[in-house]
């Protein structure tokens, strides 16, 4: 039987096995780079980063804690970044003197990450690095230095593995390309 998401799916861009293998590689780099680090805090950007974080931490062996921030930069159903960024949920803890690793689903224009960085930097952490599952370099409007990148992808709208299609299908185990100009209807 066909699945509801199939009418929006043009192609699978990154399959589940490739994602999982890359997550293991990224965790290995993180384990190496933070081997001697105390007070490592992974800050997951909700909601898109949640699948990635959950898989990543299962392979991170250095002691760390996790926390969450919810940010929105896209309106429902809108596929372009507005450049306007809003905090829906802030961190509950003080990050002064902590080593921060931001875990994000995708860097597109860079506006969201620039905003998060400028905000967190004012709180005097010991360091801040960025780990993103996906990056669309051709879409960048503001430069952002990325420390760990899972995959660089072309300028296509993708969904699955944490990324939503109008809030749906974050649960898919792969990253798929959405057919151009498809909107999720009220029937879904
Ligand atoms: P930026 O501020 O333009 O870098 O946008 C970053 C945010 O836009 C990400 O955290 C995602 O929530 C969303 N986004 C960008 N591209 C995509 C995509 O292809 N699929 C789903 N969400 C996306
Ligand atoms: Mg996001």
């Amino acid at each position: 039987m066909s699945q509801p998401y199939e009418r929006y799916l043009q192609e699978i861009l990154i399959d589940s096995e490739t994602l999982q293998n890359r997550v293991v590689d990224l965790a290995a780099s993180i384990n190496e780079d933070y081997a001697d680090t105390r007070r490592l805090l992974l800050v997951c950007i909700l909601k898109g980063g949640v699948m990635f974080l959950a898989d990543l931490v299962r392979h991170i062996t250095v002691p760390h804690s996790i926390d969450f921030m919810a940010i929105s930069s896209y309106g429902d159903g809108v596929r372009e970044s507005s450049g306007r960024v809003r905090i829906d949920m802030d961190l509950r803890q003080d990050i002064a003197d902590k080593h921060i690793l931001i875990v994000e689903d995708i860097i597109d224009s860079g506006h969201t990450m620039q905003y998060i960085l400028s905000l967190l930097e004012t709180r005097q952490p010991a360091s801040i690095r960025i780990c993103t599952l996906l990056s669309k370099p051709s879409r960048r409007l503001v430069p952002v230095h990325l420390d760990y990148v899972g995959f660089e992808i072309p300028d296509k709208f993708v969904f699955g593995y944490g990324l939503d299609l109008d809030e749906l299908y974050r649960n898919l185990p792969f990253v798929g390309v959405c057919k151009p100009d498809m909107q999720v209807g009220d029937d879904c």
Side-chain angles (χ1 to χ4, degrees):
M1 215 185 88
S2 75
Q3 298 288 324
Y5 68 79
E6 285 176 14
R7 57 192 292 238
Y8 305 105
L9 182 68
Q10 186 171 56
E11 57 170 327
I12 292 180
L13 187 65
I14 312 169
D15 65 27
S16 173
E17 191 185 344
T18 308
L19 282 169
Q20 295 303 325
N21 289 340
R22 186 71 186 123
V23 166
V24 171
D25 291 347
L26 290 170
S29 303
I30 291 166
N31 289 335
E32 203 177 311
D33 296 349
Y34 288 98
D36 302 320
T37 305
R38 283 167 193 275
R39 313 192 72 179
L40 173 60
L41 174 65
L42 270 56
V43 172
C44 174
I45 308 302
L46 296 174
K47 302 170 215 167
V50 75
M51 297 274 267
F52 180 38
L53 176 90
D55 284 341
L56 189 68
V57 292
R58 280 180 260 211
H59 301 284
I60 294 186
T61 51
V62 293
H64 65 277
S65 50
I66 61 175
D67 207 343
F68 298 90
M69 256 178 118
I71 309 278
S72 31
S73 60
Y74 273 51
D76 285 349
V78 180
R79 305 273 161 83
E80 296 292 316
S81 176
S82 60
R84 286 192 309 266
V85 180
R86 189 182 69 202
I87 299 192
D88 294 328
M89 189 186 86
D90 202 346
L91 297 171
R92 305 256 164 80
Q93 60 182 282
D94 185 7
I95 60 165
D97 301 325
K98 292 184 182 154
H99 292 275
I100 305 300
L101 180 59
I102 301 172
V103 178
E104 174 64 302
D105 55 355
I106 187 164
I107 312 289
D108 187 26
S109 70
H111 280 126
T112 307
M113 192 48 71
Q114 186 190 51
Y115 177 84
I116 295 168
L117 276 179
S118 60
L119 178 74
L120 296 187
E121 272 162 4
T122 64
R123 300 177 184 177
Q124 269 104 45
S127 67
I128 306 187
R129 284 186 185 162
I130 299 170
C131 176
T132 185
L133 177 73
L134 306 174
S135 172
K136 291 182 193 169
S138 64
R139 296 262 305 168
R140 208 74 87 242
L141 294 175
V142 288
V144 186
H145 175 77
L146 303 176
D147 300 280
Y148 308 94
V149 178
F151 303 89
E152 290 195 341
I153 64 167
D155 178 10
K156 292 183 173 169
F157 196 84
V158 293
F159 67 105
Y161 199 67
L163 295 115
D164 70 303
L165 192 56
D166 301 342
E167 289 299 326
L168 297 175
Y169 308 128
R170 295 186 193 272
N171 57 308
L172 298 175
F174 55 80
V175 172
V177 176
C178 182
K179 287 180 187 164
D181 303 323
M182 281 295 271
Q183 299 288 328
V184 175
D186 293 336
D187 54 322
C188 292

